Amino acid sequence: MFTVERHEYDVVVIGAGGAGLRAAIEARQQGKRTAIVCKSLFGKAHTVMAEGGAAAAMGNVNSDDNWMVHFRDTMRGGKFLNNWRMAELHAKEAPDRVWELEAWGALFDRTKDGKISQRNFGGHEYPRLAHVGDRTGLEMIRTLQQRVVALQQEDFEVHGDYEAYIKVFAECTVTRLLKDGDAISGAFAYWRETGKFIVFDAPAVVLATGGIGKSFVVTSNSWEYTGDGHALALLAGAQLINMEFIQFHPTGMVWPPSVRGILVTESVRGDGGVLRNSEGRRFMFDYIPDVFKDKYATTEEEGDRWYTDQANNRRPPELLPRDEVARAINSEVKAGRGSPQGGVFLDVSSRLPAAEIIKRLPSMHHQFKELADVDITAEPMQVGPTCHYVMGGVEVDADTAAASVPGLFAAGEVSGGMHGSNRLGGNSLSDLLVFGRRAGAGAAAYVDSLGGRRPQVTGVEEAHAEAVAPLERQGGENPYEVHHELQRTMNDLVGIIRKENEVAEALQVVEKLKERATNTTAPGGKIYNPGWHLAIDLRNMLLVSECVAKAALLRQESRGGHTRDDYPAMEPEWRRRLLVCSAKPDGSEVQVVEKTQVSMRADLITLFDRAELSKYLTEEELAEYDAAAK
Ligand code: FAD
């Protein structure tokens, strides 16, 4: 026999980053009793680490900006593989979500005439990122948390209990979604500190668990990002989409080894930072792909002029989408033109006065001084690619954020489709707000549709047995060793540049690691036992890695965050083919099947020039375009 705490809610939101908080606020505003569950401390999520800003076409700095330009940029960035309905909703609704944050107390940086300031970022045609220095995510989380507290205060006034309608369960990890037949009925979790178990009884669950970076050695992601939401969805019978597309951010720290992978914000380049190789060459001019040739400066002089005159010059190629810059850095290092510690040089010191750098990039200045003893106001940084973001995730309905399993919703980085094969910087923070709100609303509407009927909670004993297994085994595998081997394998064989034989080898290793992971031991009992926590997380990382590798093997082309050395071209036929992963409830038999991309609505496709589309679309699709344009 075992004991569990039980809690009943209408909606359980797993994750307290931007997507989770926005979803929870919406569900509560729609009158639903809502739990927010998060693996680490409340307020510690990747969203807090986001530096650059939230992309929203408010047109404050350049009045030519509007949702259609933002939509086009997002689709281009994702190499037209995006779920276009999500990209449309995102571009249209992002400004309202940013203004809403302001109304809830966010203090964005201002333009001279007092509007919310917006900065340049890779792939965005106009200055578009609403920001707070380089600490935008922190302000976003502070504001959303403040909104949660305001709602709790309202509830106290009415019900005499702050937590009557919205309660936070921090340092609490969900290990299984519970079901009644096909539908969601709750979630099973444990308190990290005590190891005690909790059952959430709820007809609707919103996944907002963020990314998967901890499957790779070099990553900007912190310890929580083990792909839990991706795996929970898969095990509950939902599908994952686009899992082959992983964003390797071009600029992570490369030195010292203990901080390798920590992010160097794209704002450094947005604010004028240039990339140089060991020969002092601004090499990005050598890497402008054909599809972007007409949009980027071809000389240093033009690129430099753009910072002061954007109407008459094209942007510098340091601001190409992230996948392009990451591949270029990788090629320079491979060609022997890297920096002493295996990266390239990123220099903002020769472009901006020291005081301006400290004002615009305070966190970067602090980070390099403290961690690497480098003063970025006086010398260049050394940077290289780092696993940063997963474009793939739970396949959802664009309007409601509903997954295929009744009662399951997903928003933010754990969901898939919005960013296609490559996310533009700044589009994540706005994605969290737009689809977080929609997921909260979707979950609330679903609960209403049940008319008071509550699905039965089942599967608790199985979930408990699975969770305690590593504690009860004797003399098994060390989870840290299995994890380390997985990270090395994914980094080396399914990393930034992929080859058929290497990915196939990775899959064999993952298969063996899955076997070893079923035999991990975590001595030391249930009370704050990180080895046990990792043993549980391993199931998720292995499942997600299997999906990434299987999809990467199948996609025989290069596009966005998926580069195949043996298939270097982007193929129009592949744009129409989406890869969808599913698995059995025990995590065995991960299957990847193809699905045809739905044709873009006529009013959206005609926002593009035919000449541009001809670089991405098949002849058949171009014929559809011609018919729509008539
Ligand atoms: P997160 O903010 O990642 O939160 C996930 C939540 O889920 C956490 O609360 C976590 O504890 C919880 N969780 C996970 N698993 C479980 C579980 N099993 N049980 C319970 N809880 C769980 N994007 C931009 O648009 N602009 C930027 O400037 C930018 N800068 C970035 C800088 C860094 C260093 C990083 C790492 C990312 C950056 N990004 C940026 C990307 C962006 O921050 C993330 O994609 C985004 O914040 C993800 O938000 P989310 O709400 O989906 O999840």
Side-chain angles (χ1 to χ4, degrees):
M1 273 308 286
F2 58 93
T3 50
V4 288
E5 257 176 78
R6 295 186 93 103
H7 299 271
E8 231 185 77
Y9 284 93
D10 297 320
V11 179
V12 171
V13 177
I14 309 175
L21 290 177
R22 189 63 191 83
I25 289 167
E26 196 62 25
R28 153 62 186 79
Q29 287 182 163
Q30 310 230 2
K32 299 294 167 275
R33 294 197 328 108
T34 304
I36 303 173
V37 189
C38 55
K39 197 169 170 176
S40 48
L41 294 170
F42 189 49
K44 188 199 168 291
H46 267 168
T47 305
V48 138
M49 296 156 78
E51 293 152 350
M58 297 186 284
N60 290 351
V61 174
N62 190 323
S63 57
D64 288 339
D65 203 11
N66 59 46
W67 78 263
M68 289 170 283
V69 189
H70 192 181
F71 171 76
R72 282 199 295 261
D73 288 346
T74 301
M75 294 298 296
R76 278 182 196 124
K79 305 278 172 11
F80 283 77
L81 192 116
N82 319 52
N83 176 321
W84 50 261
R85 174 67 179 156
M86 290 175 97
E88 178 197 12
L89 290 170
H90 170 257
K92 283 181 172 166
E93 295 179 4
D96 282 348
R97 296 287 73 79
V98 171
W99 284 314
E100 176 179 72
L101 269 195
E102 190 185 39
W104 289 345
L107 294 168
F108 288 101
D109 291 349
R110 319 305 292 185
T111 60
K112 286 201 181 79
D113 51 353
K115 294 178 182 160
I116 293 176
S117 177
Q118 300 192 266
R119 64 158 49 113
N120 290 302
F121 240 53
H124 292 281
E125 188 161 342
Y126 297 118
R128 190 176 282 146
L129 270 66
H131 57 92
V132 184
D134 58 2
R135 295 180 180 135
T136 313
L138 176 64
E139 183 66 357
M140 181 184 273
I141 289 291
R142 187 194 68 73
T143 308
L144 292 170
Q145 287 191 342
Q146 185 174 304
R147 179 74 189 148
V148 168
V149 170
L151 291 169
Q152 288 180 321
Q153 283 168 341
E154 278 177 22
D155 291 338
F156 182 74
E157 291 295 310
V158 180
H159 307 284
D161 176 6
Y162 289 105
E163 292 175 334
Y165 271 76
I166 188 162
K167 178 170 166 138
V168 179
F169 295 78
E171 296 202 272
C172 178
T173 305
V174 173
T175 62
R176 274 277 172 181
L177 298 180
L178 304 173
K179 288 175 74 180
D180 178 4
D182 286 343
I184 289 293
S185 60
F188 183 85
Y190 68 90
W191 290 108
R192 291 177 63 78
E193 202 180 328
T194 60
K196 291 185 174 156
F197 296 102
I198 314 182
V199 168
F200 292 97
D201 175 336
V205 167
V206 177
L207 294 170
T209 50
I212 67 161
K214 275 296 167 195
S215 295
F216 292 77
V217 179
V218 181
T219 177
S220 65
N221 287 197
S222 58
W223 65 266
E224 303 93 321
Y225 296 93
T226 49
D228 295 5
H230 289 76
L232 290 171
L234 208 56
L235 295 170
Q239 290 76 38
L240 305 184
I241 194 166
N242 299 349
M243 289 305 290
E244 65 276 36
F245 299 112
I246 308 272
Q247 182 167 84
F248 292 86
H249 193 290
T251 58
M253 291 178 81
V254 292
W255 188 259
S258 57
V259 299
R260 194 180 171 109
I262 289 186
L263 194 75
V264 178
T265 174
E266 191 168 321
S267 313
V268 176
R269 283 171 289 133
D271 287 346
V274 293
L275 290 163
R276 292 188 193 279
N277 63 19
S278 58
E279 296 164 1
R281 183 173 172 76
R282 258 178 92 175
F283 59 85
M284 279 312 301
F285 286 93
D286 306 331
Y287 291 94
I288 306 174
D290 285 346
V291 287
F292 290 121
K293 275 250 149 66
D294 51 339
K295 296 209 154 30
Y296 286 82
T298 43
T299 63
E300 291 193 25
E301 294 71 28
E302 184 185 359
D304 290 347
R305 284 197 304 270
W306 178 84
Y307 285 103
T308 48
D309 177 9
Q310 295 180 7
N312 297 305
N313 297 287
R314 291 169 299 175
R315 55 190 27 239
E318 277 91 358
L319 294 179
L320 274 160
R322 289 176 176 173
D323 54 326
E324 310 291 355
V325 185
R327 271 193 299 272
I329 294 176
N330 196 60
S331 303
E332 287 297 305
V333 174
K334 269 198 165 166
R337 295 187 291 271
S339 65
Q341 315 298 352
V344 293
F345 297 104
L346 172 61
D347 185 21
V348 70
S349 66
S350 55
R351 309 274 291 182
L352 291 176
E356 194 61 24
I357 295 174
I358 293 170
K359 184 173 154 224
R360 290 199 207 181
L361 302 164
S363 304
M364 281 301 107
H365 181 252
H366 181 79
Q367 178 176 312
F368 272 88
K369 197 79 206 116
E370 290 297 311
L371 301 179
D373 197 22
V374 167
D375 178 1
I376 68 165
T377 66
E379 56 191 314
M381 301 156 242
Q382 291 186 53
V383 295
T386 177
C387 174
H388 183 56
Y389 184 90
V390 59
M391 271 68 72
V394 183
E395 187 176 25
V396 289
D397 172 67
D399 289 71
T400 60
S404 62
V405 175
L408 186 62
F409 299 79
E413 190 169 341
V414 70
S415 67
M418 157 69 205
H419 305 285
S421 68
N422 173 52
R423 172 178 72 87
L424 292 186
N427 267 2
S428 172
L429 289 192
S430 37
D431 162 2
L432 310 181
L433 296 172
V434 168
F435 294 104
R437 178 183 151 277
R438 283 185 168 270
Y446 173 78
V447 173
D448 287 341
S449 76
L450 296 179
R453 191 171 51 79
R454 291 190 72 88
Q456 292 277 307
V457 166
T458 63
V460 173
E461 271 165 37
E462 291 82 348
H464 174 264
E466 181 183 48
V468 294
L471 293 170
E472 291 176 349
R473 263 182 229 117
Q474 303 290 322
E477 288 273 354
N478 177 341
Y480 289 94
E481 280 172 16
V482 177
H483 184 208
H484 189 66
E485 198 167 334
L486 174 69
Q487 288 186 311
R488 273 257 72 91
T489 303
M490 291 305 284
N491 228 83
D492 296 350
L493 304 178
V494 201
I496 187 163
I497 310 285
R498 299 158 176 177
K499 286 187 189 126
E500 180 169 329
N501 59 338
E502 292 186 352
V503 180
E505 187 187 331
L507 272 170
Q508 285 175 2
V509 177
V510 168
E511 206 46 51
K512 288 194 188 119
L513 293 177
K514 270 177 100 174
E515 192 60 42
R516 285 173 59 188
T518 58
N519 189 33
T520 48
T521 337
K526 287 202 302 192
I527 295 174
Y528 206 87
N529 182 346
W532 176 40
H533 304 164
L534 179 64
I536 292 176
D537 292 346
L538 267 177
R539 177 203 69 191
N540 303 333
M541 286 186 274
L542 284 159
L543 250 181
V544 165
S545 298
E546 187 175 353
C547 291
V548 172
K550 282 195 165 153
L553 192 60
L554 281 177
R555 184 169 285 276
Q556 294 180 336
E557 65 153 357
S558 293
R559 181 184 297 270
H562 170 69
T563 304
R564 285 284 297 257
D565 209 31
D566 40 357
Y567 297 96
M570 184 164 64
E571 304 291 348
E573 293 72 35
W574 268 103
R575 195 198 72 83
R576 299 213 77 174
R577 289 149 80 176
L578 301 175
L579 298 176
V580 184
C581 307
S582 55
K584 286 203 160 171
D586 64 357
S588 65
E589 296 185 32
V590 169
Q591 280 202 341
V592 187
V593 294
E594 283 186 18
K595 175 175 168 175
T596 305
Q597 171 89 287
V598 179
S599 298
M600 208 188 297
R601 232 177 41 227
D603 59 309
L604 294 178
I605 199 157
T606 48
L607 292 174
F608 296 91
D609 284 341
R610 191 183 197 282
E612 178 175 17
L613 290 177
S614 66
K615 298 171 194 165
Y616 299 98
L617 270 51
T618 58
E619 285 304 319
E620 190 188 321
E621 291 173 296
L622 285 169
E624 282 177 27
Y625 173 88
D626 292 335
K630 268 187 195 150

